[in-house]
Amino acid sequence: MIDSVLPLQESVWWLQKRDHLLDLAKNQLNAFIYDSKTIERSIASLKNMESIDKIFYAMKANFNPDLLRILYDFNINFECVSPGEVKFLIKTFPNIGINRILFTPNFSPKDEYIWAMNLGLKVTIDNLYPLKEWPEIFKNKNIIVRIDTGHGEGHHKHVKTAGKESKFGIHLPQVKELMVLVKSMDINIVGIHAHNGSEIYEVNNWITIAEQLALIGKKFNTTKFLDIGGGFPTSNHSDNRSVSMKDLDDGLLRIKQKYPNYKFWIEPGRYLVAESGILLTHITQMKNKGDKKFIGVGTGMNTLIRPALYDAHHEIINLTRYYDNTVTELVEIVGPICESGDSFGMHRFKKGSREDDVILIANVGAYGSSMSSHYNLRELPIEIIL
Ligand code: LLP
């Protein structure tokens, strides 16, 4: 995981707000900062897609209440995976209509389904077990089913959520059994869902899902929408990869023309919030071991576990010295946590970097603070929305 030192676009929001960020960093060792305008831009680009009828934000990506408020005010709906997420949403927005919430649990206990159906949530079932073992909960009801498309995708094996090795979704050969079950229980399959994984760079992923789900939908005459999941990437500065939302829209529109009876839903997490978030920290110490150089920063895998867990790459910038004209050297950026895995990887850094320089870790708006922990009992960073 080596930073390729491509020149950054000067238009990136945190360079435009550099002075303000350096100011904010004076008062705290570590802080998550989110830029509301960047979130609004992501919302607008999804709302621009003609093929998409409803957007559900996967709130597991980031549940900061002020950030949720931006999505709420722009009429984005919410995808929740636990009663905790649903309750948090209702507590934050007491007037939220229950129809704005999609509940997509996985291997949940029976009581959660009873609770969700009684509350009137849209519930996604991703296994035949609940239907076979707890028929009383679902008889005569409307439900959504999650299908395993058979091909998992994504930036790391831990985030591929389809295929035989994945615990998610109803296995395709079981669709016949599903048809018999829903008929005998008078269940309406109102929606068919699939989510292949996270951070996928192939437009065809969603086009194939839409086609696969449309064909399955034809087997039930109650299906009104196809939920083609999330997994849309943000543009990756380090290797210039991105997905053209225009190509995706065109491709989906082609499928929609073929199957005009279905509405299309999506449930993105990362796409809506990743680029809006940065983690500001400071250099704490430096260490040489022969040729190897470590630069320590004020926070580590406790606040951003993605590099340790998935070998994920995040740009790391010395914000204090961003415009200094010094040569760079390859260093390993590490945090203060007592684990060897507490590393943000190898990065090119300005040679004159010093204790207390402000360090910026980019693209952490999704799965940064929401996956942080109290490990080592280090304080969590404050979170600020600009
Ligand atoms: N829908 C379902 C059913 C999901 O399981 C997920 C993510 C999403 C939507 C939203 O996916 P997104 O658009 O954010 O890729 N912690 C990992 C990502 C795990 C995502 C889990 N499921 C990471 O930091 O990359």
Side-chain angles (χ1 to χ4, degrees):
M1 196 171 51
I2 293 180
D3 200 334
S4 61
V5 244
L6 277 179
L8 282 167
Q9 295 164 340
E10 289 288 321
S11 62
V12 72
W13 74 263
W14 39 263
L15 275 183
Q16 288 170 1
K17 297 191 176 169
R18 176 172 172 267
D19 291 345
H20 185 38
L21 294 173
L22 288 173
D23 229 35
L24 283 174
K26 282 184 189 144
N27 300 319
Q28 40 265 318
L29 177 60
N30 309 307
F32 278 109
I33 319 256
Y34 308 112
D35 182 53
S36 51
K37 287 279 169 277
T38 303
I39 298 175
E40 287 173 24
R41 255 200 308 278
S42 309
I43 295 173
S45 102
L46 292 185
K47 285 200 164 186
N48 245 340
M49 292 174 71
E50 222 184 300
S51 56
I52 302 303
D53 299 287
K54 262 190 176 190
I55 304 167
F56 290 81
Y57 167 61
M59 70 178 275
K60 62 177 88 67
N62 191 322
F63 49 83
N64 176 291
D66 297 325
L67 178 145
L68 291 177
R69 159 83 51 197
I70 299 171
L71 296 147
Y72 179 81
D73 286 346
F74 276 88
N75 277 321
I76 299 291
N77 305 288
F78 297 89
E79 188 251 349
C80 301
V81 290
S82 69
E85 285 190 350
V86 175
K87 288 174 189 166
F88 187 79
L89 201 57
I90 294 174
K91 194 171 130 225
T92 311
F93 310 115
N95 294 326
I96 190 168
I98 218 72
N99 63 338
R100 283 180 72 178
I101 308 176
L102 177 60
F103 185 54
T104 316
N106 171 254
F107 281 102
S108 281
K110 181 178 177 183
D111 285 355
E112 287 188 10
Y113 293 94
I114 298 175
W115 169 83
M117 295 302 283
N118 285 341
L119 198 61
L121 296 173
K122 298 180 183 42
V123 178
T124 305
I125 309 286
D126 86 332
N127 189 358
L128 297 186
Y129 188 96
L131 301 180
K132 289 206 278 202
E133 302 299 322
W134 314 321
E136 68 284 3
I137 307 179
F138 304 103
K139 255 187 194 152
N140 310 315
K141 298 276 169 42
N142 293 343
I143 60 165
I144 302 158
V145 286
R146 176 170 179 173
I147 302 293
D148 177 353
T149 58
H151 42 94
E153 305 285 342
H155 68 81
H156 187 273
K157 68 177 184 344
H158 292 341
V159 302
K160 295 186 179 177
T161 49
K164 210 164 157 221
E165 300 304 317
S166 151
K167 69 178 179 135
F168 298 97
I170 295 170
H171 196 32
L172 277 173
Q174 289 177 334
V175 169
K176 273 202 185 111
E177 198 181 345
L178 174 67
M179 288 166 67
V180 175
L181 271 173
V182 299
K183 196 154 181 228
S184 69
M185 292 163 69
D186 244 335
I187 288 175
N188 293 330
I189 303 284
V190 289
I192 313 214
H193 166 54
H195 172 79
N196 280 351
S198 200
E199 204 178 339
I200 302 165
Y201 288 92
E202 299 298 323
V203 164
N204 266 337
N205 173 66
W206 297 277
I207 296 171
T208 309
I209 290 180
E211 180 109 54
Q212 269 183 303
L213 298 189
L215 290 173
I216 296 170
K218 277 173 74 177
K219 298 181 194 291
F220 306 93
N221 54 13
T222 48
T223 303
K224 297 185 168 60
F225 60 86
L226 309 177
D227 173 356
I228 60 173
F232 313 103
T234 54
S235 27
N236 189 331
H237 294 298
S238 62
D239 59 11
N240 263 341
R241 279 188 303 168
S242 63
V243 153
S244 154
M245 296 319 252
K246 167 87 176 70
D247 291 352
L248 178 58
D249 199 23
D250 291 347
L252 289 174
L253 281 171
R254 277 198 301 278
I255 306 290
K256 228 176 168 181
Q257 270 159 12
K258 241 165 106 180
Y259 305 96
N261 293 338
Y262 301 124
K263 301 274 185 214
F264 282 14
W265 292 9
I266 51 171
E267 39 182 67
R270 178 188 323 274
Y271 186 87
L272 284 166
V273 294
E275 283 183 325
S276 77
I278 56 166
L279 180 54
L280 285 187
T281 183
H282 290 77
I283 293 184
T284 53
Q285 303 185 24
M286 285 170 280
K287 178 183 285 183
N288 288 312
K289 283 187 172 177
D291 291 344
K292 171 103 192 184
K293 181 161 185 176
F294 296 93
I295 290 190
V297 294
T299 194
M301 64 194 291
N302 54 322
T303 54
L304 181 65
I305 200 168
R306 303 191 71 254
L309 194 58
Y310 314 120
D311 206 15
H313 173 80
H314 289 264
E315 271 162 310
I316 305 190
I317 308 291
N318 184 332
L319 198 63
T320 306
R321 294 178 200 280
Y322 185 76
Y323 293 107
D324 283 9
N325 223 350
T326 25
V327 285
T328 58
E329 60 184 337
L330 201 56
V331 299
E332 183 166 355
I333 309 287
V334 295
I337 298 298
C338 291
E339 291 235 8
S340 286
D342 183 29
S343 166
F344 293 128
M346 303 299 293
H347 293 260
R348 286 235 149 250
F349 246 56
K350 297 271 157 75
K351 257 199 162 161
S353 297
R354 294 273 175 280
E355 181 184 341
D356 291 333
D357 281 357
V358 176
I359 302 304
L360 181 151
I361 307 179
N363 264 349
V364 301
Y367 308 110
S369 72
S370 68
M371 291 180 81
S372 62
S373 75
H374 289 282
Y375 191 38
N376 284 195
L377 283 185
R378 290 213 167 259
E379 240 178 79
L380 292 178
I382 60 155
E383 297 187 44
I384 300 171
I385 305 244
L386 302 180

